[in-house]
Amino acid sequence: MKNTVSISQENYLKVIFKLQNEHGIASNQSIAEKLEATPAAVTGMLRKLASLEWVEHTAYQGAVLTAKGQRIAISTIRKHRLWEVFLVDKLKFKWDAVHQWAEELEHIGDADFTERLDAFLGCPATDPHGDPIPDANGDWTGNERVIGADKLSREQIFTVRGVSNSASDFLQHLDALNIHLGKRFEVLDHFPFDGSWEWSDENGESLRISREVAGQLLVELSKKEK
Amino acid sequence: MKNTVSISQENYLKVIFKLQNEHGIASNQSIAEKLEATPAAVTGMLRKLASLEWVEHTAYQGAVLTAKGQRIAISTIRKHRLWEVFLVDKLKFKWDAVHQWAEELEHIGDADFTERLDAFLGCPATDPHGDPIPDANGDWTGNERVIGADKLSREQIFTVRGVSNSASDFLQHLDALNIHLGKRFEVLDHFPFDGSWEWSDENGESLRISREVAGQLLVELSKKEK
DNA sequence: ATAATTTTTTAATCTCACCTAAACAATAAC
DNA sequence: GTTATTGTTTAGGTGAGATTAAAAAATTAT
Ligand SMILES: [Mn+2]
Ligand SMILES: [Mn+2]
Ligand SMILES: [Mn+2]
Ligand SMILES: [Mn+2]
């Protein structure tokens, strides 16, 4: 009766959780892509997870987590993000290098371990990419005031709060642009031709931002004053 | 050609390393016991490790690590002990609770990761059980002055430096006796009848130590003065 | 509505690490 | 030096988690 969850199962539950939040249901193919596995492998695992009552699987439709499955997924995400904080804050990794290791560390430790880690890190609210860290009960509050940087208008002042893409090539590009979480900018201009932007930072230095970059940056509007 | 080492393989190499240091060669059965596997499973893995050139396996004799195998084993031991320091120093685990987690954590991270962890922990020389932590090159110096507490004689003054058994029941027993690394004692008496001892601590409190406990405590003699 | 395409499932295999039981070597006992 | 005992290997098999290739269902296009 030891219903213990395997590493592979945790990875599946985590991916299904994220897909389900985006599209309401996780399709076989979308799961396969994220996990770099074949659709056939996904079918097999979904049957397994369904038999464990962690997902509900409707043939040819896709999968949705049960309450129990969601609990496991959120706990894994919590551990993933806490470890990312550890890697950046304590081990001084760059934010583009932590995902791979957190992907392994997230499978280690029980509830007690996780609470110790959380306390040691000072109970951080977000991970190095601005993603919220669920609390020990699995609850969390996303920052509701955060919007995509491609939704801004001229003269708005805003603070960078997160990224919707944590791939290292994107994060390294942000480093090259000297864009990091917590930095404030003002929108100087927007160019419909290519969707690009001109922003200025707090020192008045102006920089150009491509549509691709703005589309994956999450920002929070500031009160009108600078 | 990706010659990557699996978790199971690292566990085998680590166990073979320790057995080989004790007995010159690691027998099939001794490996099986430590890993809680059957001798048949060990034979299979030894064939695999031999084909990877990490051990030399002579049928019916036993296994010895190659230079490459030794490198992997020592690196795993280094990671294990560094993680144990992390768990005790940073996450405030008791020393009897860290082994199980370190057994998993030791398989995570590359050389760069390990050096960051080492630096973060302040390059500790020993783990929470007094075992030496190999350096990044795989070199380490055991404390040559350390002897078993069952080798002491009356009136000798000594400091507890380590344990030769890290099982949690033993460590918890030491906690109950209020014996910890770094604590100094003096030998008051030794009783050949049952091999037990009488020691006194620095406050003059005397305590009785069984043969079993003394046999698994590692101590360092102090200069004659108290 | 039928045909073409895409997605999912099934079926048959694979690898890894393990198991039990039987055969076989090496050691120890007499 | 046979015999008994112990240790090791072989043979056959399991289960988890993958794979490829073919069949089947769902979706989209004509
Ligand atoms: Mn993972
Ligand atoms: Mn993250
Ligand atoms: Mn291990
Ligand atoms: Mn230790």
Side-chain angles (χ1 to χ4, degrees), chain A residues 10-28:
Chain A
E10 279 190 352
N11 286 333
Y12 272 84
L13 293 174
K14 218 178 44 157
V15 160
I16 294 167
F17 177 81
K18 288 176 179 171
L19 289 169
Q20 167 179 338
N21 285 348
E22 271 185 76
H23 310 110
I25 194 167
S27 75
N28 187 306

Side-chain angles (χ1 to χ4, degrees), chain B residues 47-120:
Chain B
R47 289 165 94 29
K48 179 72 181 217
L49 294 175
S51 84
L52 290 163
E53 299 185 303
W54 292 335
V55 309
E56 273 171 50
H57 180 221
T58 320
Y60 294 98
Q61 296 304 124
V64 180
L65 296 179
T66 63
K68 176 75 183 165
Q70 196 148 335
R71 235 210 68 253
I72 299 171
I74 292 172
S75 151
T76 308
I77 289 169
R78 170 166 164 78
K79 291 194 277 178
H80 183 105
R81 294 181 180 168
L82 285 173
W83 279 116
E84 283 190 346
V85 172
F86 169 73
L87 295 170
V88 167
D89 286 7
K90 307 298 183 181
L91 297 199
K92 309 301 178 192
F93 275 98
K94 305 247 301 288
W95 69 340
D96 61 292
V98 298
H99 188 81
Q100 58 159 145
W101 299 124
E103 201 57 51
E104 299 183 39
L105 289 162
E106 69 187 355
H107 305 293
I108 293 180
D110 58 6
D112 170 57
F113 188 120
T114 307
E115 294 340 299
R116 287 172 187 272
L117 179 61
D118 184 47
F120 170 62

Side-chain angles (χ1 to χ4, degrees), chain A residues 75 78-79 82-83 108-120 136, chain B residues 87 90-94 97-98 100-101:
Chain A
S75 151
R78 170 165 162 80
K79 292 194 277 179
L82 284 173
W83 279 115
I108 292 181
D110 59 7
D112 170 58
F113 189 119
T114 307
E115 295 339 298
R116 286 172 187 271
L117 179 62
D118 184 48
F120 170 62
Chain B
L87 295 170
K90 307 298 183 181
L91 297 199
K92 309 301 178 192
F93 275 98
K94 305 247 301 288
V98 298
Q100 58 159 145
W101 299 124

Side-chain angles (χ1 to χ4, degrees), chain A residues 82-192:
Chain A
L82 284 173
W83 279 115
E84 283 190 345
V85 172
F86 169 72
L87 294 170
V88 167
D89 285 8
K90 307 298 185 184
L91 299 198
K92 309 302 178 193
F93 274 99
K94 303 249 298 292
W95 68 341
D96 60 292
V98 298
H99 189 81
Q100 57 158 146
W101 300 124
E103 201 57 49
E104 300 183 39
L105 289 162
E106 68 187 356
H107 306 293
I108 292 181
D110 59 7
D112 170 58
F113 189 119
T114 307
E115 295 339 298
R116 286 172 187 271
L117 179 62
D118 184 48
F120 170 62
L121 297 172
C123 305
T126 60
D127 84 356
H129 312 106
D131 293 316
I133 298 176
D135 68 22
N137 302 316
D139 302 323
W140 79 92
T141 49
N143 186 340
E144 304 300 337
R145 287 160 304 185
V146 157
I147 59 170
D150 54 348
K151 307 287 186 302
L152 294 164
S153 335
R154 200 174 309 210
E155 287 183 25
Q156 283 186 313
I157 292 171
F158 61 91
T159 306
V160 177
R161 289 293 184 215
V163 291
S164 49
N165 168 5
S166 291
S168 38
D169 56 353
F170 176 55
L171 300 177
Q172 282 163 17
H173 186 56
L174 292 182
D175 286 343
L177 294 171
N178 202 25
I179 294 175
H180 52 82
L181 301 197
K183 193 164 176 182
R184 262 160 62 112
F185 295 93
E186 178 179 359
V187 180
L188 294 186
D189 214 342
H190 175 49
F191 306 99

Side-chain angles (χ1 to χ4, degrees), chain B residues 131-151:
Chain B
D131 292 316
I133 298 175
D135 68 21
N137 302 315
D139 302 324
W140 78 92
T141 47
N143 186 340
E144 304 302 337
R145 287 159 305 185
V146 157
I147 59 171
D150 54 347
K151 307 287 185 302

